[in-house]
Amino acid sequence: MNELIPITYHNDDPAVSARDLHEFLEVGTAYKDRFPRMCEYGFSHGIDFNPLKIERVQQEGNRMVSRMVDDAILTIDMAKEICMLQRNEKGKIARQYFLQLEKDWNSPEKVMARALRIADKRIKALEAKTEADRPKVLFADSVTASRSSILVGEMAKLLKQNGVHTGQNRLFETLREKGFLIKRQGSDYNMPTQKSMEMGLFEIKETVINHSDGHTSVNKTPKVTGKGQQYFVNMFLGQ
């Protein structure tokens, strides 16, 4: 269909500029005076029309000046009613134009094309969300499956495999800085803090070592519990 009046789209529905329609109808009254009167015929702001500002180049004397002027996006139903209110040949032509536009818009071919386009948008949005959520899903699955405690180095590998760029040393440093591991130098360096133990995030594995001279010592190693794994996963995802 030949474009008698430029058609735009608002919320995926055909629409028309109030100024374009005003100019086509060759209304003698200025737009700024005419359009407010048209809106008094029961039309609703935000439903039938949406005001906006547009840039228009106008001649003033011997020069062209660019100015921001008032305009509005009209539904086709509102545009048809304005055409009927005009009651002249231009109004009749414009109304027939909009009726044909609606007929074409609602044809089975156009309805099917829109349905396919909407379905395609939804599929792409779902794929994008699935991809964005993939690390979270992998984290949740891996942590849920883990019923045993793991070393901090293993925790770092788990995080790294699922998109968090960290390593054992960096993870130790982060846990110390955030108060989960003791950072003061001494025998308890890198051991869980009282806070993280009370939260159930760590447990301490004690290994008895028998030395060649006959004495024994106890080696303590912090391990991340299943609850701790879930907690730190959520913490890193939140970052």
Side-chain angles (χ1 to χ4, degrees):
M1 187 174 71
N2 294 328
E3 193 172 62
L4 192 68
I5 304 171
I7 299 299
T8 186
Y9 294 88
H10 181 69
N11 294 332
D12 289 330
D13 290 324
V16 65
S17 157
R19 275 190 175 272
D20 286 344
L21 179 59
H22 180 82
E23 291 172 4
F24 178 82
L25 295 175
E26 297 179 352
V27 179
T29 308
Y31 172 83
K32 66 180 180 65
D33 299 319
R34 177 70 173 177
F35 184 68
R37 292 210 296 268
M38 291 295 99
C39 292
E40 293 174 0
Y41 283 87
F43 298 116
S44 299
H45 180 289
I47 298 176
D48 300 303
F49 66 94
N50 287 276
L52 73 160
K53 294 280 189 179
I54 62 170
E55 186 178 12
R56 281 289 175 94
V57 178
Q58 300 173 329
Q59 185 168 356
E60 293 187 1
N62 296 325
R63 62 194 183 99
M64 303 300 289
V65 178
S66 176
R67 295 186 183 280
M68 299 302 295
V69 297
D70 291 325
D71 195 0
I73 296 297
L74 312 182
T75 64
I76 297 304
D77 282 341
M78 180 173 176
K80 287 188 299 183
E81 290 194 48
I82 288 177
C83 291
M84 287 190 291
L85 290 170
Q86 189 63 21
R87 296 180 181 178
N88 62 11
E89 188 62 24
K90 280 282 191 174
K92 180 179 179 181
I93 292 172
R95 183 171 180 276
Q96 290 298 320
Y97 169 74
F98 292 132
L99 287 171
Q100 182 59 44
L101 173 70
E102 285 186 318
K103 182 178 179 180
D104 181 60
W105 179 253
N106 293 317
S107 67
E109 296 81 7
K110 289 294 180 67
V111 171
M112 179 62 71
R114 290 198 300 277
L116 291 173
R117 188 166 59 251
I118 292 171
D120 185 57
K121 286 182 179 179
R122 288 179 177 173
I123 289 172
K124 288 180 178 177
L126 182 60
E127 288 175 346
K129 184 178 186 303
T130 300
E131 187 63 29
D133 289 346
R134 189 181 303 280
K136 185 182 295 185
V137 172
L138 292 174
F139 277 139
D141 290 346
S142 61
V143 173
T144 301
S146 177
R147 296 184 179 181
S148 60
S149 299
I150 62 174
L151 297 170
V152 173
E154 294 171 332
M155 183 74 201
K157 290 179 181 178
L158 175 64
L159 292 169
K160 190 171 183 179
Q161 288 170 359
N162 291 280
V164 178
H165 298 294
T166 189
Q168 176 176 298
N169 293 339
R170 192 184 305 172
L171 182 56
F172 264 114
E173 181 181 357
T174 300
L175 295 176
R176 288 195 300 268
E177 290 301 319
K178 291 187 177 293
F180 297 108
L181 296 179
I182 296 172
K183 61 180 178 179
R184 68 174 178 270
Q185 296 294 326
S187 60
D188 56 357
Y189 179 67
N190 272 346
M191 288 297 104
T193 60
Q194 185 67 30
K195 177 187 75 172
S196 59
M197 289 296 290
E198 291 176 353
M199 292 173 66
L201 306 181
F202 288 93
E203 65 179 15
I204 299 175
K205 178 184 177 183
E206 295 185 349
T207 304
V208 178
I209 302 175
N210 295 307
H211 297 273
S212 57
D213 61 0
H215 83 279
T216 61
S217 62
V218 178
N219 185 38
K220 296 182 179 181
T221 305
K223 299 188 74 173
V224 186
T225 64
K227 180 179 179 180
Q229 294 168 51
Q230 184 69 65
Y231 181 89
F232 292 126
V233 161
N234 290 332
M235 184 183 79
F236 278 93
L237 283 176
Q239 293 176 352

